[in-house]
Amino acid sequence: MFVLTVDQRKSRKREDLVEAAMDALNHDALRPLVLPFDRTAGDEMQAVAAEPAVVVSIAMELAVSSHWSVGIGIGSVKRPLPDNTRAGAGEAFERARSAVTSAKNASGNIAVSGASPQAGQAEALLQLLVLVARRRSELSEEAGILSDQGLTQQQIARQLGISQQAVSSRLQSGLWQESRRVLSVAESLLEGADR
């Protein structure tokens, strides 16, 4: 099982983003959670997930924004599960707490904690992916999002009013294809660490 513990960065200097983030994440039908995000302390929220793809998708979105430190804990959780995440307990919760503390000073503000060496390997890949994503230009980001939605380069070119060659260049400069492959490896490593 996976626990995500997420802490808002520079929360004393910014407005509280926790409620809006929880609302959006808890109502995302494409990323189902075992237990929804719940505020655990002032500027912190926590959720439980079973699927590595869901964990990676949420963690990447939050970490890339630069507004959050994201900790992913892998391990057992105490059963039966409580009605709300805040009341949860077990190894995954403890590891998520440790991970979010590490994430505050980690590359890309993301960290993973689990008993398997695969947790550390997944962490290294996720940190790299966050740093790549943060360095993308707006133009590359625009083309990459459309590509991730399943559009072909020709369709993206028509939608953006640019040449297919320009789309290809934007996707290459943003390392979109490479990032997708690395993301898949990170998900596999998380799955392995959860066994």
Side-chain angles (χ1 to χ4, degrees):
M1 196 70 68
F2 303 96
V3 173
L4 285 150
T5 299
V6 183
D7 187 42
Q8 184 178 339
R9 298 179 66 218
K10 300 177 182 174
S11 59
R12 291 189 176 109
K13 297 177 184 176
R14 291 186 179 142
E15 65 181 276
D16 185 322
L17 303 175
V18 175
E19 288 300 322
M22 286 192 318
D23 189 50
L25 293 167
N26 289 341
H27 294 95
D28 185 346
L30 297 176
R31 298 188 290 194
L33 296 166
V34 175
L35 286 175
F37 275 97
D38 198 6
R39 188 185 290 263
T40 53
D43 55 0
E44 187 179 274
M45 58 185 181
Q46 194 169 54
V48 179
E51 298 299 322
V54 170
V55 172
V56 168
S57 175
I58 292 171
M60 286 294 298
E61 177 185 325
L62 294 172
V64 169
S65 75
S66 298
H67 297 308
W68 306 95
S69 294
V70 181
I72 301 169
I74 306 168
S76 60
V77 295
K78 189 174 178 181
R79 303 277 184 164
L81 290 172
D83 292 334
N84 61 56
T85 309
R86 187 176 41 241
E91 178 189 11
F93 283 92
E94 293 163 14
R95 288 189 176 278
R97 165 70 38 226
S98 171
V100 78
T101 299
S102 295
K104 292 175 184 180
N105 297 310
S107 295
N109 305 106
I110 191 166
V112 180
S113 178
S116 166
Q118 290 173 310
Q121 294 165 349
E123 176 182 272
L125 293 179
L126 291 172
Q127 288 175 351
L128 180 64
L129 286 167
V130 169
L131 295 174
V132 166
R134 285 182 180 173
R135 290 187 170 112
R136 286 184 178 132
S137 71
E138 245 181 78
L139 298 175
S140 175
E141 186 76 23
E142 184 179 47
I145 289 169
L146 293 172
S147 176
D148 282 349
Q149 292 171 358
L151 275 67
T152 66
Q153 288 189 16
Q154 289 177 335
Q155 291 169 324
I156 295 168
R158 278 194 300 276
Q159 187 162 334
L160 298 179
I162 59 177
S163 70
Q164 188 268 325
Q165 193 173 15
V167 171
S168 178
S169 176
R170 290 178 186 188
L171 294 175
Q172 285 177 0
S173 70
L175 300 173
W176 284 95
Q177 189 174 27
E178 297 81 358
S179 292
R180 280 191 204 110
R181 292 199 312 256
V182 173
L183 205 60
S184 177
V185 174
E187 289 171 6
S188 294
L189 288 167
L190 286 178
E191 185 174 14
D194 190 37
R195 287 193 190 117

